[in-house]
Amino acid sequence: MRQLGELEAEIMNRLWAWGRPATARDVLTDINKKRPVAYSTVKTVAEILYGKGMLRREKEGRAWVYEPTCTRQQYTAALMQEALGSNPDPAGALLSFVEQMAPAEADALRAALRAAKRRSEA
């Protein structure tokens, strides 16, 4: 899974934050609060995301309604897995990553490791 482009990320971030399906027009209205973007551009990028499997769509009236096929957390995990898998020294990459974490992030990682261990033991 590759990293999202700028407008792809803007679209996905909105859909993830909203937690509900939305049309390209809904996304456009929100993006245009910060910067101008053409409807055709948002529609094209939504279709690209659909083609990549990042969005599913359903027809409502004349419009397509889009929703993510994965959570933001699942997407981030896939990026991390890809980065580790392509590194000849994944342990070294993890160590460097952990050394750069803020204390709260390190605490969250410890909690996630404990939860994963409990699940694997169950």
Side-chain angles (χ1 to χ4, degrees), residues 3 5 8 18 22 33 43 59 62 69 81-82 97 120:
Q3 190 164 346
E8 289 175 328
W18 293 341
K33 291 176 183 175
K43 180 73 175 142
K59 196 81 156 168
R62 294 180 1 164
T69 58
Q81 188 65 40
E82 183 177 314
F97 179 69
S120 69

Side-chain angles (χ1 to χ4, degrees), residues 36-102:
V37 179
Y39 172 76
S40 59
T41 302
V42 172
K43 180 73 175 142
T44 297
V45 173
E47 284 299 308
I48 290 169
L49 288 165
Y50 169 74
K52 291 178 179 180
M54 293 289 299
L55 295 177
R56 66 177 137 267
R57 68 182 186 184
E58 189 172 308
K59 196 81 156 168
E60 282 190 12
R62 294 180 1 164
W64 288 109
V65 178
Y66 297 93
E67 67 179 314
T69 58
C70 65
T71 65
R72 182 190 316 258
Q73 294 78 4
Q74 290 167 328
Y75 169 73
T76 301
L79 288 178
M80 293 168 68
Q81 188 65 40
E82 183 177 314
L84 285 174
S86 65
N87 191 303
D89 181 16
L94 281 169
L95 178 59
S96 293
F97 179 69
V98 170
E99 288 174 342
Q100 295 175 41
M101 287 181 160

